[in-house]
Coordinates of all heavy atoms in Angstrom, one line a residue:
Chain B
A148 N 85.7 81.5 86.5 CA 85.7 80.2 87.1 C 84.3 79.8 87.6 O 84.2 78.7 88.1 CB 86.7 80.2 88.3
G149 N 83.3 80.6 87.3 CA 82.0 80.3 87.6 C 81.6 80.2 89.1 O 80.6 79.7 89.5
S150 N 82.5 80.8 90.0 CA 82.2 80.8 91.4 C 81.2 81.9 91.7 O 81.1 82.9 90.9 CB 83.5 81.1 92.2 OG 84.0 82.4 91.9
P151 N 80.5 81.8 92.8 CA 79.6 82.9 93.2 C 80.4 84.2 93.4 O 81.5 84.2 93.8 CB 78.9 82.5 94.5 CG 79.4 81.1 94.7 CD 80.5 80.8 93.8
Y152 N 79.7 85.4 93.2 CA 80.4 86.7 93.3 C 81.1 86.9 94.6 O 82.3 87.4 94.5 CB 79.3 87.8 93.0 CG 79.8 89.2 93.4 CD1 80.6 89.9 92.6 CD2 79.4 89.8 94.6 CE1 81.1 91.2 93.0 CE2 79.8 91.0 95.0 CZ 80.6 91.7 94.2 OH 81.1 93.0 94.6
P153 N 80.6 86.6 95.7 CA 81.3 86.9 97.0 C 82.6 86.2 97.1 O 83.5 86.7 97.8 CB 80.3 86.4 98.1 CG 79.0 86.4 97.5 CD 79.2 86.0 96.0
V154 N 82.8 85.0 96.4 CA 84.0 84.2 96.7 C 85.3 85.0 96.3 O 86.2 85.1 97.1 CB 84.0 82.9 95.9 CG1 85.3 82.2 96.0 CG2 82.9 82.0 96.4
G155 N 85.3 85.6 95.1 CA 86.5 86.4 94.7 C 86.8 87.5 95.6 O 88.0 87.7 96.0
A156 N 85.8 88.3 96.0 CA 86.0 89.4 96.9 C 86.5 89.0 98.2 O 87.5 89.6 98.7 CB 84.6 90.1 97.1
L157 N 86.0 87.8 98.7 CA 86.4 87.3 100.0 C 87.9 86.8 99.9 O 88.7 87.1 100.8 CB 85.5 86.1 100.3 CG 85.4 85.8 101.8 CD1 84.7 86.9 102.6 CD2 84.6 84.5 102.0
V158 N 88.2 86.1 98.8 CA 89.6 85.6 98.6 C 90.6 86.8 98.7 O 91.6 86.7 99.5 CB 89.7 84.8 97.3 CG1 91.2 84.6 97.0 CG2 89.0 83.5 97.4
V159 N 90.4 87.8 97.8 CA 91.3 88.9 97.8 C 91.4 89.6 99.1 O 92.5 89.9 99.7 CB 91.0 89.9 96.7 CG1 91.8 91.2 96.8 CG2 91.3 89.2 95.3
A160 N 90.2 89.8 99.8 CA 90.2 90.6 101.0 C 91.0 89.8 102.1 O 91.8 90.4 102.8 CB 88.8 90.8 101.5
V161 N 90.8 88.4 102.1 CA 91.5 87.7 103.2 C 93.0 87.6 102.9 O 93.8 87.8 103.8 CB 90.9 86.2 103.3 CG1 91.7 85.3 104.1 CG2 89.5 86.3 103.8
V162 N 93.4 87.3 101.6 CA 94.8 87.2 101.3 C 95.5 88.5 101.6 O 96.6 88.5 102.3 CB 95.0 86.8 99.8 CG1 96.4 87.0 99.4 CG2 94.5 85.4 99.5
V163 N 94.9 89.6 101.2 CA 95.6 90.9 101.3 C 95.6 91.3 102.8 O 96.7 91.7 103.3 CB 94.9 92.0 100.5 CG1 95.4 93.4 100.9 CG2 95.1 91.7 99.0
T164 N 94.5 91.1 103.5 CA 94.5 91.5 104.9 C 95.6 90.6 105.7 O 96.4 91.2 106.5 CB 93.2 91.2 105.6 OG1 92.2 91.9 104.8 CG2 93.1 91.8 107.0
A165 N 95.6 89.3 105.5 CA 96.6 88.5 106.2 C 98.0 88.9 105.8 O 98.9 89.0 106.7 CB 96.3 87.0 105.8
N166 N 98.2 89.1 104.5 CA 99.5 89.5 104.1 C 100.0 90.8 104.7 O 101.2 90.9 105.1 CB 99.5 89.6 102.5 CG 100.8 89.3 101.9 OD1 101.7 88.9 102.6 ND2 101.0 89.6 100.6
V167 N 99.2 91.8 104.7 CA 99.5 93.1 105.2 C 99.7 93.0 106.8 O 100.7 93.5 107.3 CB 98.5 94.2 104.9 CG1 98.8 95.5 105.7 CG2 98.5 94.5 103.4
A168 N 98.8 92.2 107.4 CA 98.9 92.1 108.9 C 100.2 91.4 109.3 O 100.8 91.8 110.3 CB 97.7 91.4 109.4
L169 N 100.6 90.4 108.5 CA 101.8 89.7 108.9 C 103.0 90.4 108.4 O 104.2 90.0 108.6 CB 101.8 88.3 108.3 CG 100.6 87.4 108.8 CD1 100.6 86.1 108.1 CD2 100.8 87.2 110.3
G170 N 102.8 91.5 107.7 CA 104.0 92.4 107.3 C 104.6 92.0 106.0 O 105.6 92.5 105.6
G171 N 104.0 91.0 105.3 CA 104.6 90.5 104.0 C 104.7 91.5 102.9 O 105.7 91.5 102.2
M172 N 103.8 92.5 102.8 CA 103.8 93.3 101.7 C 104.3 94.7 101.9 O 104.4 95.5 101.0 CB 102.3 93.4 101.2 CG 102.1 93.9 99.9 SD 102.4 92.7 98.6 CE 101.8 93.6 97.2
R173 N 104.6 95.0 103.2 CA 104.9 96.3 103.5 C 106.0 97.0 102.8 O 107.2 96.6 103.0 CB 105.1 96.5 105.0 CG 104.9 97.8 105.5 CD 104.7 98.0 107.0 NE 104.7 96.7 107.7 CZ 105.0 96.7 109.0 NH1 105.4 97.7 109.6 NH2 104.9 95.5 109.7
A174 N 105.7 97.9 102.0 CA 106.7 98.8 101.3 C 107.8 98.0 100.6 O 108.9 98.5 100.5 CB 107.3 99.7 102.3
V175 N 107.4 96.8 100.1 CA 108.5 96.1 99.4 C 108.4 96.5 97.9 O 107.5 96.1 97.2 CB 108.3 94.6 99.5 CG1 109.4 93.9 98.8 CG2 108.4 94.2 101.0
T176 N 109.3 97.4 97.5 CA 109.3 98.0 96.2 C 109.3 96.9 95.1 O 108.6 97.0 94.1 CB 110.5 98.9 96.1 OG1 110.6 99.7 97.2 CG2 110.5 99.7 94.8
F177 N 110.0 95.8 95.4 CA 110.2 94.8 94.4 C 108.9 94.1 94.0 O 108.7 93.9 92.8 CB 111.2 93.8 95.0 CG 111.8 92.9 93.9 CD1 112.4 93.5 92.9 CD2 111.7 91.5 94.0 CE1 113.0 92.7 91.9 CE2 112.3 90.7 93.1 CZ 112.9 91.3 92.0
V178 N 108.0 93.9 95.0 CA 106.7 93.2 94.7 C 105.9 94.1 93.7 O 105.4 93.6 92.7 CB 105.9 93.0 95.9 CG1 104.7 92.2 95.6 CG2 106.7 92.2 96.9
Q179 N 105.8 95.3 94.1 CA 105.0 96.2 93.3 C 105.5 96.4 91.9 O 104.8 96.5 90.9 CB 104.9 97.6 94.0 CG 104.2 97.5 95.4 CD 102.8 97.2 95.4 OE1 102.2 96.9 94.3 NE2 102.1 97.4 96.5
A180 N 106.9 96.5 91.8 CA 107.5 96.7 90.5 C 107.2 95.4 89.6 O 106.8 95.6 88.4 CB 109.0 96.9 90.6
F181 N 107.3 94.3 90.2 CA 106.9 93.0 89.5 C 105.5 93.1 89.0 O 105.2 92.7 87.9 CB 107.2 91.8 90.5 CG 106.5 90.6 90.1 CD1 106.9 89.8 89.1 CD2 105.3 90.2 90.8 CE1 106.2 88.6 88.7 CE2 104.7 89.0 90.5 CZ 105.1 88.2 89.4
Q182 N 104.6 93.6 89.9 CA 103.2 93.6 89.5 C 102.9 94.5 88.3 O 102.1 94.3 87.5 CB 102.3 94.1 90.7 CG 102.5 93.4 92.0 CD 101.6 92.2 92.1 OE1 101.1 91.8 91.1 NE2 101.3 91.8 93.3
Y183 N 103.7 95.6 88.2 CA 103.5 96.5 87.1 C 103.8 95.8 85.8 O 103.0 95.8 84.9 CB 104.4 97.8 87.2 CG 104.4 98.6 85.9 CD1 103.3 99.4 85.6 CD2 105.3 98.4 84.9 CE1 103.2 100.1 84.4 CE2 105.3 99.1 83.7 CZ 104.2 99.9 83.4 OH 104.1 100.5 82.2
W184 N 105.0 95.1 85.8 CA 105.4 94.5 84.5 C 104.4 93.3 84.2 O 104.1 93.0 83.1 CB 106.8 94.0 84.6 CG 107.7 95.2 84.6 CD1 108.4 95.6 85.7 CD2 107.9 96.2 83.6 NE1 109.1 96.8 85.4 CE2 108.8 97.2 84.1 CE3 107.5 96.3 82.3 CZ2 109.2 98.3 83.4 CZ3 107.9 97.4 81.5 CH2 108.8 98.3 82.1
L185 N 103.9 92.6 85.2 CA 103.0 91.5 85.0 C 101.7 92.1 84.4 O 101.2 91.5 83.4 CB 102.7 90.8 86.4 CG 101.6 89.7 86.3 CD1 102.1 88.6 85.4 CD2 101.3 89.2 87.7
K186 N 101.2 93.2 85.0 CA 99.9 93.8 84.4 C 100.1 94.2 83.0 O 99.2 94.0 82.2 CB 99.5 94.9 85.3 CG 98.8 94.5 86.6 CD 98.3 95.6 87.4 CE 99.3 95.9 88.5 NZ 98.8 96.8 89.5
L187 N 101.3 94.8 82.7 CA 101.5 95.3 81.4 C 101.5 94.1 80.4 O 100.9 94.2 79.4 CB 102.8 96.1 81.3 CG 103.1 96.8 80.0 CD1 102.1 98.0 79.9 CD2 104.5 97.3 79.9
T188 N 102.2 93.1 80.7 CA 102.3 91.9 79.9 C 101.0 91.3 79.7 O 100.6 90.9 78.6 CB 103.3 90.8 80.5 OG1 104.4 91.5 81.0 CG2 103.6 89.8 79.6
A189 N 100.2 91.2 80.8 CA 98.9 90.5 80.8 C 97.9 91.2 79.9 O 97.0 90.6 79.4 CB 98.4 90.3 82.2
L190 N 98.1 92.5 79.7 CA 97.2 93.1 78.7 C 97.8 93.2 77.3 O 97.1 93.1 76.3 CB 96.9 94.6 79.2 CG 95.7 94.8 80.1 CD1 95.3 96.3 80.1 CD2 94.5 94.0 79.8
A191 N 99.1 93.4 77.3 CA 99.8 93.6 76.0 C 99.8 92.4 75.1 O 99.5 92.4 73.9 CB 101.2 94.2 76.2
V192 N 100.2 91.2 75.7 CA 100.3 90.0 74.9 C 98.9 89.6 74.2 O 98.9 89.4 73.0 CB 100.9 88.9 75.7 CG1 100.9 87.6 74.9 CG2 102.4 89.2 76.1
P193 N 97.9 89.5 75.1 CA 96.6 89.2 74.4 C 96.1 90.2 73.4 O 95.5 89.9 72.4 CB 95.6 89.1 75.6 CG 96.5 88.8 76.8 CD 97.8 89.5 76.5
A194 N 96.5 91.5 73.7 CA 96.1 92.6 72.8 C 96.7 92.4 71.4 O 96.1 92.6 70.4 CB 96.5 93.9 73.3
I195 N 98.0 91.9 71.4 CA 98.6 91.6 70.1 C 97.9 90.5 69.4 O 97.6 90.6 68.2 CB 100.1 91.3 70.3 CG1 100.8 92.5 70.9 CG2 100.8 90.8 69.0 CD1 102.2 92.3 71.4
F196 N 97.6 89.4 70.1 CA 96.9 88.3 69.5 C 95.5 88.8 69.0 O 95.1 88.4 67.9 CB 96.7 87.2 70.5 CG 97.9 86.3 70.6 CD1 98.9 86.5 71.5 CD2 97.9 85.1 69.9 CE1 100.0 85.7 71.6 CE2 99.0 84.2 70.0 CZ 100.0 84.5 70.8
L197 N 94.8 89.6 69.7 CA 93.5 90.0 69.3 C 93.6 90.9 68.1 O 92.8 90.7 67.2 CB 92.9 90.8 70.5 CG 92.4 90.0 71.7 CD1 92.1 90.9 72.9 CD2 91.2 89.2 71.3
A198 N 94.6 91.8 68.0 CA 94.7 92.6 66.9 C 95.0 91.8 65.6 O 94.4 92.0 64.5 CB 95.8 93.7 67.1
L199 N 95.9 90.8 65.8 CA 96.2 89.9 64.6 C 95.0 89.1 64.2 O 94.7 89.0 63.0 CB 97.4 89.0 65.0 CG 98.7 89.6 65.2 CD1 99.7 88.6 65.7 CD2 99.2 90.2 63.9
H200 N 94.2 88.7 65.2 CA 93.0 87.9 64.9 C 92.0 88.8 64.1 O 91.4 88.3 63.1 CB 92.4 87.4 66.1 CG 91.1 86.7 65.9 ND1 91.0 85.4 65.4 CD2 89.8 87.1 66.1 CE1 89.8 85.0 65.3 NE2 89.0 86.0 65.7
W201 N 91.9 90.0 64.5 CA 91.0 91.0 63.9 C 91.4 91.2 62.4 O 90.6 91.2 61.5 CB 91.0 92.3 64.6 CG 90.1 93.3 64.1 CD1 88.8 93.4 64.1 CD2 90.6 94.5 63.4 NE1 88.3 94.6 63.5 CE2 89.4 95.3 63.0 CE3 91.8 95.1 63.1 CZ2 89.5 96.5 62.4 CZ3 91.9 96.3 62.5 CH2 90.8 97.0 62.1
Q202 N 92.7 91.3 62.2 CA 93.3 91.4 60.8 C 92.9 90.2 60.0 O 92.3 90.3 58.9 CB 94.8 91.5 60.9 CG 95.4 92.8 61.3 CD 95.4 93.8 60.2 OE1 95.0 93.5 59.1 NE2 95.8 95.0 60.5
A203 N 93.2 89.0 60.6 CA 92.9 87.7 59.8 C 91.5 87.5 59.6 O 91.1 86.8 58.6 CB 93.5 86.6 60.7

Side-chain angles (χ1 to χ4, degrees):
Chain B
S150 66
Y152 165 79
V154 173
L157 205 65
V158 166
V159 168
V161 169
V162 167
V163 169
T164 307
N166 206 10
V167 171
L169 298 175
M172 194 80 173
R173 197 162 357 155
V175 181
T176 310
F177 197 54
V178 185
Q179 301 285 14
F181 160 76
Q182 306 271 22
Y183 171 80
W184 294 108
L185 177 64
K186 280 181 259 192
L187 189 72
T188 315
L190 271 198
V192 171
I195 294 168
F196 275 85
L197 288 167
L199 290 174
H200 176 78
W201 177 72
Q202 286 278 358

